[in-house]
Amino acid sequence: MVTVERVNGFKEWLKGRVLGQPEVIPAFDRHLGRSELGLTDPTLVKGAFLFVGPTGVGKTELVTSFAEYFHGKDSLLKLNMSEFKDVDQVREIRERLVKGKTAGKKVFLWDELEKAHAEAMDLLLQILDAGAEISGMDGEPVSFTDSYVFGTSNLGASEAMRSRTRNYTAYCNTVVEYVQRHLRPELLGRIRRGIGSILVFQRLGEPEQRAVAELHVRKVLARLEVHGHSLTLESGAFEHIMRNGFSEQYGARNILGVICDRLEGAVSDALRKGQGTSGNVSVRPDGLGLEIAASAPNVA
C-alpha cells in the first residue's frame, strides 16, 4: 500500500514536469488520494481518465510522470490508436494489453483515443466495466483492477482556441461539449462514475512555455556536462530558442527539439573545428543558430 506521505508528495514532485495546468493537477491529485490509498471500488480499475486539450500542453507528460512516480518507469504501456485501423490490428491491441499486464504494467495509455477502431473501443469498455477484465489469447480472463487507464485526445481544442477566451470554465465547457458529440456516451459514463474524470488542459501562453524551455535547457546542459561540455547560456541565446520554439498552436511540443538542435549543434560544430566545448553559448552572427565562445582547442 502506498503511504500517505508518498501521495502527498506527488504534487510537489510534479512541479518541475507539468506546467500551466492549475485546474487539472489538483483535480487529478484528489482522485489519487482515494485510489492510491485503497478507497476505490476493488471490482473496477483504480482510475480512468480522459485528458483533452491542445497538443503540447502536458497531457502525455502527466501520464508518464504519474506512472514513474507511483509505479516505476517501466509500468506504462502506450498504445497510439492511429496505428490500429482495422480488425486484425485490434487483435494486436488485445495481445499487447494482455502481454503488458502479465509483465506487470499498471498504467495503460490510449493515445489519440478519438481515432480508435470501434472494436478497440469495445475492448476499452470491457476494461472499464465491472470486473475490469478481458480474455487473453488462451481464453483466460486477465484482470485490470490494480491498473489505471488513460485516454488522450485533442478533440474540441482547436474550436476552443479559436474563441480566444481566457475564461477556463467557458473554454472547458466548449471542449467537453465537443467531446460528448464525438465519443460514445457509454465510455464517458464509465469514466465519470467515480473512477476518474474528464480533465481539460488549457493552452500554454508564452510565460508557461518559457518555464518549460528553462526546464529543458537545464536538463540538456546537465546531460552535456556529463560528457565534459560545461556550458552557460547567454540571455540572447535563450531568446533565440524561444523565438524558434514558441508556438500558440503546438504549445511546448517544439521547444525541446529546438533546444537539442541548437545546443547539441553548437557542441558538434565546436568539436569539428577543434575548438573548446566549455564556455558561454551565444547567437551566431548570422542569427541562424548558437555558438560557443572559442577557447583552447579540445582536439589535437
Side-chain angles (χ1 to χ4, degrees):
M1 183 71 70
V2 175
T3 65
V4 171
E5 290 73 20
R6 184 68 175 165
V7 174
N8 286 345
F10 179 61
K11 279 202 300 183
E12 184 64 30
W13 180 84
L14 197 61
K15 282 184 177 178
R17 291 171 173 255
V18 180
L19 304 173
Q21 303 299 337
E23 290 81 14
V24 168
I25 302 304
F28 184 54
D29 184 70
R30 278 196 299 274
H31 180 87
L32 300 183
R34 298 186 290 120
S35 60
E36 286 298 314
L37 296 176
L39 304 176
T40 50
D41 187 337
T43 68
L44 301 170
V45 294
K46 294 182 72 174
F49 297 88
L50 177 58
F51 290 171
V52 292
T55 186
V57 296
K59 299 190 296 293
T60 301
E61 180 63 31
L62 181 53
V63 178
T64 55
S65 296
F66 160 75
E68 177 182 342
Y69 183 85
F70 284 105
H71 304 287
K73 289 184 177 180
D74 295 327
S75 65
L76 172 65
L77 175 64
K78 180 179 177 181
L79 299 165
N80 190 323
M81 291 299 104
S82 65
E83 298 175 2
F84 304 97
K85 298 184 183 298
D86 58 43
V87 174
D88 289 337
Q89 291 173 314
V90 172
R91 295 193 188 101
E92 182 184 342
I93 294 177
R94 181 187 294 271
E95 292 175 3
R96 290 177 63 179
L97 286 168
V98 171
K99 184 177 180 180
K101 191 70 192 68
T102 304
K105 305 290 186 185
K106 291 191 174 182
V107 182
F108 298 86
L109 171 58
W110 299 58
D111 197 26
E112 296 189 274
L113 183 61
E114 74 279 6
K115 298 179 181 178
H117 188 281
E119 291 198 19
M121 196 66 76
D122 289 340
L123 194 61
L124 176 57
L125 289 171
Q126 289 180 46
I127 295 174
L128 298 182
D129 205 354
E133 64 183 28
I134 59 174
S135 298
M137 297 304 106
D138 56 2
E140 290 296 314
V142 178
S143 173
F144 288 77
T145 54
D146 65 345
S147 304
Y148 288 84
V149 176
F150 293 86
T152 60
S153 174
N154 297 331
L155 278 174
S158 58
E159 287 73 19
M161 288 180 71
R162 279 199 294 268
S163 73
R164 312 303 298 174
T165 180
R166 287 293 177 179
N167 182 285
Y168 178 74
T169 300
Y171 170 80
C172 186
N173 289 340
T174 299
V175 173
V176 171
E177 181 182 348
Y178 199 87
V179 168
Q180 290 172 333
R181 293 203 305 266
H182 289 80
L183 292 181
R184 288 161 62 169
E186 57 267 41
L187 170 66
L188 303 180
R190 291 180 193 186
I191 290 175
R192 286 168 158 166
R193 67 178 177 185
I195 59 174
S197 60
I198 302 170
L199 297 177
V200 181
F201 287 62
Q202 48 188 322
R203 58 179 173 237
L204 299 182
E206 184 174 359
E208 292 80 19
Q209 291 194 37
R210 292 181 77 88
V212 171
E214 289 169 0
L215 175 67
H216 285 313
V217 164
R218 288 196 295 271
K219 289 181 178 179
V220 173
L221 290 180
R223 173 167 57 79
L224 291 173
E225 188 163 16
V226 170
H227 297 284
H229 316 300
S230 182
L231 303 171
T232 301
L233 229 64
E234 293 184 356
S235 60
F238 183 78
E239 295 307 318
H240 168 86
I241 288 171
M242 285 303 302
R243 283 195 303 274
N244 287 274
F246 174 77
S247 169
E248 286 194 351
Q249 182 178 1
Y250 296 109
R253 184 172 295 275
N254 297 334
I255 286 178
L256 178 57
V258 171
I259 292 169
C260 291
D261 176 70
R262 300 306 195 268
L263 292 180
E264 292 170 4
V267 172
S268 174
D269 289 345
L271 287 171
R272 296 177 68 174
K273 293 175 182 176
Q275 298 174 344
T277 58
S278 294
N280 292 333
V281 180
S282 59
V283 181
R284 279 174 16 192
D286 60 14
L288 298 178
L290 302 179
E291 64 179 2
I292 302 169
S295 57
N298 281 345
V299 181

